[in-house]
Amino acid sequence: MAVQSFRTTKHSLFRSTEAQEETGGYLNAMVVNCGQGCACGWCNDWWGLPWQITPRVLTEALAVGGKEARRAFDAMMGMKIIDVAAIKDGAERSMNPTFSAR
């Protein structure tokens, strides 16, 4: 009996995570088990369904808007697995800007 596979672009699944270990764990588990990794926390599972594995800190930074959201978004665009520390660092820099004297 052959296993039927299907692909869809109409639906995707989302998994919110709390910590880096959880974020990487979910994404790696899907990719290692015959899935495919992409960019920005996206991956496809064994059946070809798209998932986005996203740490809560990223969704919170994006929800704030303004400079914090822009820094979080820009940082995320260069990542395969979302780096929680980099997102937090970007958010902290937008809340506590350092100005250099000229």
Side-chain angles (χ1 to χ4, degrees), residues 2-52:
V3 174
Q4 287 274 18
S5 66
F6 65 94
R7 298 201 184 268
T8 178
T9 56
K10 295 181 182 178
H11 298 78
S12 64
L13 303 167
F14 174 82
R15 175 66 174 137
S16 181
T17 59
E18 295 296 322
Q20 187 67 52
E21 296 77 22
E22 185 182 15
T23 303
Y26 276 108
L27 213 149
N28 287 328
M30 286 189 199
V31 172
V32 167
N33 293 313
C34 302
Q36 176 183 355
C38 299
C40 305
W42 283 96
C43 64
N44 292 324
D45 66 16
W46 189 80
W47 296 279
L49 292 172
W51 286 77
Q52 188 172 35

